[in-house]
Amino acid sequence: MPLNYRPELDTSPLLTDEAVNDYQSQISILRWAVELGRIDIYIDTALLSQHLVHPRRGHLESIYHIYSYLKGHERCTMV
């Protein structure tokens, strides 16, 4: 997530129903990555998981930021 981003204080627009489904799918993928050993994204994933019912645009953008981080740190695993 971007530095100093607080998901609970996000006031960006709510996502549409289709985008909510995409958000939930992306969170599931990130949780799976954490289970496979990417504990470096555990806290960010947990914080964003709290907003599965009514996610906002900023939450989805934070997921994209996590994917960008993962792409730049491919070999950072515990196993």
Side-chain angles (χ1 to χ4, degrees), residues 5 7-16 19-20 23 48 51-63:
Y5 176 69
E8 67 276 9
L9 300 178
D10 193 325
T11 59
S12 60
L14 290 171
L15 296 177
T16 63
V20 169
Y23 179 82
L48 291 173
H51 304 280
L52 286 173
V53 177
H54 296 292
R56 297 183 174 274
R57 184 79 190 148
H59 299 138
L60 187 58
E61 290 171 2
S62 291
I63 287 178

Side-chain angles (χ1 to χ4, degrees), residues 15-49:
L15 296 177
T16 63
D17 289 340
E18 185 176 315
V20 169
N21 288 337
D22 182 47
Y23 179 82
Q24 293 168 345
S25 297
Q26 299 305 320
I27 288 291
S28 296
I29 292 168
L30 291 175
R31 285 181 173 174
W32 178 73
V34 169
E35 289 293 322
L36 291 177
R38 292 307 304 252
I39 61 170
D40 52 336
I41 62 169
Y42 173 74
I43 296 296
D44 294 338
T45 302
L47 288 173
L48 291 173
S49 293

